[in-house]
Amino acid sequence: MTGSILMMLIPPRFRRSPARSRLTQHVPRVAAAWSAVLFLLLAALVAPAGPAFSQAADPATRELVNALGKGSFSDTEKQIGRLAETGNPAVVMALEALSEGDLYVRKSDALVVIGKRAGGAYALTDPLTGENLGTQSGGALDKIRVNNRLRRTIRAALGGLTLRAADATTRRQAAEAIFKARDADAVPALDAAIAAETDTSVARLMREARAAAVLASDSPTEEKIAAIDTLAERGDRDALSLLTAVTNGAQAELHEAASAATARIQKLQAAWDTARNIWFGLSLGSVLLLAAIGLAITFGVMGVINMAHGEMVMLGAYTTFVIQNLFRTLAPEFFDYSLLVALPAAFLVAGLVGVGIERGIIRFLHNRPLETLLATWGVSLVLQQAVRSIFGPTNQEVGNPAFMSGAFEIGQLTITYNRLWILVFALVVFATLLIAMKFTRFGLNVRAVTQNRRMAASMGIRTPWVDALTFGLGSGIAGIAGVALSQIDNVSPNLGQSYIIDSFMVVVFGGVGNLWGTLLGAMTLGIANKFLEPFAGAVLAKILVLVFIILFIQKRPRGLFAQKGRAVES
């Protein structure tokens, strides 16, 4: 038959040609080959969809799973333990479904199945093979109920099943799950896993999980004391809570050992809390530095109280939003490079707006600080409303590139990459600006105008253009601060208002127009805020910092590092 089909497939001009005799000689062999191909295709079509369906579940395991639907909560707990003892990874699906409340007993044949609501019925799945078992009405099923105790038991069982997994991350997660569950029955499985573990960090986690399980068991006192020492070496808050529970126990030897271990952990925690507050303070200080460094330049050179400085930060953040949307639309594969484009774009946008504000408004209000304050406050309201009209009043989504996502740990200190990069970026901006001010002609002109405007003008320096470029530079730096802040804060029309007061405090505290004073002031206020917040709360901490600055200015009106020069000192 296949030969006849092949003859039909041969074009008519070949059938009538002299080559027909030679072609038909090969038809039987070609037909045999096509027969084999068709057979394989037919076999593939009727074969099961996946390997899980091609293998029948182990009868003994099936019997254990079906027993989950019988008896009380205590009986179910025992069955979970028996399933975990099999070490069969096929039971993971059943246990996870049981924990989520998706395991049912089919009344017609007492088969335990996974049920997911699909409209008015339930879509059934085999809990061991994943095979589709059709649909069933809710009245034909009995739900296997679970409580919190069973869920803890399931977590421990799942952890035991994955303690010997090939992937180190899976084994690590299993050890952590057992540590949290504190299941005494997991000790034998942990002993076997520890003996076979080759990864030192995973083995340490397994030993800590075993120590937690031993404390929850009826093991001898000596073994529990050794477990207390293991948890004391761990030294985190989870270990502290475990040992605190032991400290409240009745056994004198355990109470003494746990008390000593608790004291050790509390001292260690106090040190890590200090390190954590310093890190959070430096992180906040880097944000304040970025927001205030541009203000320090304009305030120092021109004496302008620029209430629209926060809106320059906001414009930088929205520029980042626009650039990222363009990358998502036109070149999503290069999204991680969007910030490299957003930085110069934000600097230009905010800088040009700043030059426009200076040339259009501020240059007419020199030596009238109150009027510049009111004028720039009005500009800030106009810019906020313009952004609301264009982008809307709600927060906008700005993504983190891959290199700024995630975190790493140093001991018990978790450091996020976005905060770390912002700190590095703030220091790079500070160093770049410092070099520009010290070693360029523009920086020399700025310093001359800052120290004595009239003398600088007499020496031929075009002070109006220095004012315009300085204001543009300060605004541009605020714009790139907005790029950084978009990675850790909500991008909204009110973004800049969150930092304007803190920026002025940093500038006044550090010394008007002094970059080193701005750096020291930002880091000092950031760390002070984070040390005060645990005791006073975020709002009261800011109030206390403000009171401190007011008292400090009473003693040093020019800040930590006062500018020097005849005009400044007169």
Side-chain angles (χ1 to χ4, degrees), residues 277-278 280-285 288 498 501-503 505-506 521-546 548-549:
N277 285 334
I278 291 174
F280 289 155
L282 291 175
S283 177
L284 176 60
L288 294 178
S498 305
I501 301 301
D502 289 336
S503 299
M505 287 197 297
V506 168
M523 296 305 173
T524 301
L525 295 184
I527 293 173
N529 261 300
K530 291 304 175 181
F531 272 95
L532 288 172
E533 280 180 6
F535 308 101
V539 177
L540 186 56
K542 285 186 177 294
I543 295 173
L544 291 175
V545 169
L546 178 60
F548 164 75
I549 290 177

Side-chain angles (χ1 to χ4, degrees), residues 80 95-96 98-100 146 149-159:
I80 293 170
L95 292 177
E96 288 178 344
L98 178 61
S99 177
E100 295 169 2
V146 293
R149 180 177 176 180
L150 282 180
R151 290 189 180 92
R152 287 193 295 269
T153 305
I154 292 169
R155 284 198 300 269
L158 290 173

